[in-house]
Amino acid sequence: MAARTSATTVAALLRQSIATCELRTILQIGTRPTAAAAATRAATSAISVNTTSRNPSHYRSLHTTPVWLKKKGREEKEHARARPAADSGNSNGSSTSGGGSSSQHPTPTPEEALDFADVHSRLTKLASHANESLKRLKAGGRFNPDLVGSVKVQPDRNESSVSYPIRELASVIPKGGRTISLLVHEAAYIKPIMSAVQAHRDFNQQPQRSPDNELELILKVEPEKREDLAKRVKAICHDWRERIRDVRQRRDKLHAAWKKDGSMLPDAKRKADTELDKVIKAEVAKVDAAEKDTMKAAESK
């Protein structure tokens, strides 16, 4: 009697399991499974239930288990904190304004906050470029063989990216007064040189062919007005000062980043800012002196 009751209970449980599997299948795919498929699913479900009861960790399905995140260790947190400062230094250094990329200049560190070797390096490069431009103006403005020789020429129109200064395609020779002779190395360069000089903002005239030499071009440079020369001097010095300010801002941002990440104390930052201000003021004074000297030379001509 007990055996019959047990068999009945098992059969009832089996029928209930099969019905549950059918209902689940209908809900998922909208079709009624075959009897064989239902029996197989019921057996699989029974095995899964038995396995789950032995191992409680399997109660969670794979797709609902959250990802376990490893906590950041102390070293990793410090590295993440230091990263913005390093990135700030790289972004500042990669900029071409303010004296070139950081790879061309010394790298500053918070341990040597009063070492402005990077600032001096950038300022030296700016001064060299600006003084060269002022030197050409002092030598005669547009009437300057060096200025004529630096005009870019494109020998081949089909290769617009290839250009050479006139000094590489011809000999630039001053002939007295405001006349410059261009002895072209090859006849093929004559027309490109004439076009380049005519298109240049400082000349805007076409060199004339020499009647005595087919490879010689004659350029007569018109005297530049003092007012125009003074404007060019002021423009060069204004740009020079602006680039010095860029150098100052670059280093200021670096000081702020060092203070933010804790690598520089507030007192040390104030002292570094004060010393940097002295360096910048001294450089601006050099610009003022160079501008005054160039203007004086221009007015005396």
Side-chain angles (χ1 to χ4, degrees):
M1 183 68 177
R4 182 177 300 176
T5 301
S6 178
T8 302
T9 302
V10 171
L13 291 174
L14 182 60
R15 285 195 299 272
Q16 185 179 358
S17 177
I18 293 173
T20 301
C21 292
E22 290 181 0
L23 179 60
R24 187 180 300 167
T25 304
I26 292 172
L27 292 176
Q28 290 180 352
I29 63 176
T31 58
R32 192 177 189 85
T34 62
T40 302
R41 185 178 293 273
T44 304
S45 177
I47 294 173
S48 176
V49 170
N50 292 336
T51 304
T52 302
S53 63
R54 293 177 190 152
N55 189 356
S57 65
H58 286 270
Y59 281 127
R60 288 183 178 181
S61 60
L62 182 62
H63 68 280
T64 58
T65 303
V67 178
W68 296 102
L69 298 177
K70 180 181 177 181
K71 292 184 178 180
K72 288 185 177 181
R74 184 175 180 180
E75 294 182 359
E76 187 175 352
K77 287 182 179 179
E78 291 179 355
H79 179 68
R81 241 174 74 186
R83 190 178 301 132
D87 292 344
S88 174
N90 291 338
S91 63
N92 290 336
S94 61
S95 176
T96 56
S97 67
S101 64
S102 59
S103 61
Q104 300 174 350
H105 308 284
T107 302
T109 61
E111 293 78 15
E112 299 290 340
L114 298 182
D115 182 2
F116 299 107
D118 60 311
V119 176
H120 288 298
S121 177
R122 288 186 169 89
L123 294 179
T124 299
K125 185 173 182 180
L126 291 177
S128 176
H129 177 74
N131 282 321
E132 186 65 27
S133 299
L134 294 177
K135 181 180 177 182
R136 288 197 294 265
L137 294 181
K138 289 173 66 176
R142 291 180 301 178
F143 182 70
N144 185 342
D146 291 336
L147 180 60
V148 176
S150 64
V151 175
K152 295 291 186 179
V153 180
Q154 293 179 358
D156 190 349
R157 292 184 179 180
N158 296 326
E159 297 183 5
S160 58
S161 61
V162 180
S163 62
Y164 303 93
I166 287 181
R167 70 173 65 93
E168 294 186 10
L169 306 179
S171 298
V172 183
I173 305 172
K175 297 191 68 174
R178 293 190 173 273
T179 302
I180 295 178
S181 172
L182 303 177
L183 294 178
V184 184
H185 300 327
E186 297 182 14
Y189 299 150
I190 292 179
K191 289 185 178 180
I193 289 177
M194 294 174 67
S195 299
V197 173
Q198 186 175 15
H200 198 275
R201 66 179 184 276
D202 288 331
F203 303 107
N204 194 27
Q205 62 173 296
Q206 191 179 73
Q208 302 298 315
R209 288 177 176 269
S210 172
D212 301 326
N213 187 348
E214 61 179 6
L215 293 179
E216 182 181 14
L217 298 175
I218 304 298
L219 177 63
K220 293 184 178 181
V221 182
E222 296 296 329
E224 189 169 13
K225 296 180 180 179
R226 292 181 180 179
E227 296 79 6
D228 295 337
L229 188 58
K231 288 181 181 179
R232 294 176 63 186
V233 172
K234 289 183 177 296
I236 292 173
C237 292
H238 175 74
D239 182 69
W240 189 358
R241 293 187 185 94
E242 289 296 318
R243 292 183 180 274
I244 290 175
R245 293 190 184 97
D246 291 342
V247 174
R248 168 68 183 269
Q249 291 176 2
R250 179 195 300 272
R251 188 60 189 255
D252 281 340
K253 290 179 180 179
L254 200 55
H255 290 177
W258 288 343
K259 179 184 176 183
K260 185 176 181 180
D261 65 20
S263 57
M264 174 185 277
L265 297 177
D267 290 343
K269 180 181 181 300
R270 282 193 292 271
K271 186 174 182 180
D273 290 343
T274 301
E275 294 301 319
L276 176 61
D277 188 59
K278 294 179 181 178
V279 173
I280 297 301
K281 285 183 177 180
E283 194 67 18
V284 173
K286 293 180 182 178
V287 179
D288 296 339
E291 180 179 10
K292 183 178 179 179
D293 183 59
T294 306
M295 291 291 291
K296 184 177 179 180
E299 291 175 357
S300 64
K301 290 185 177 298

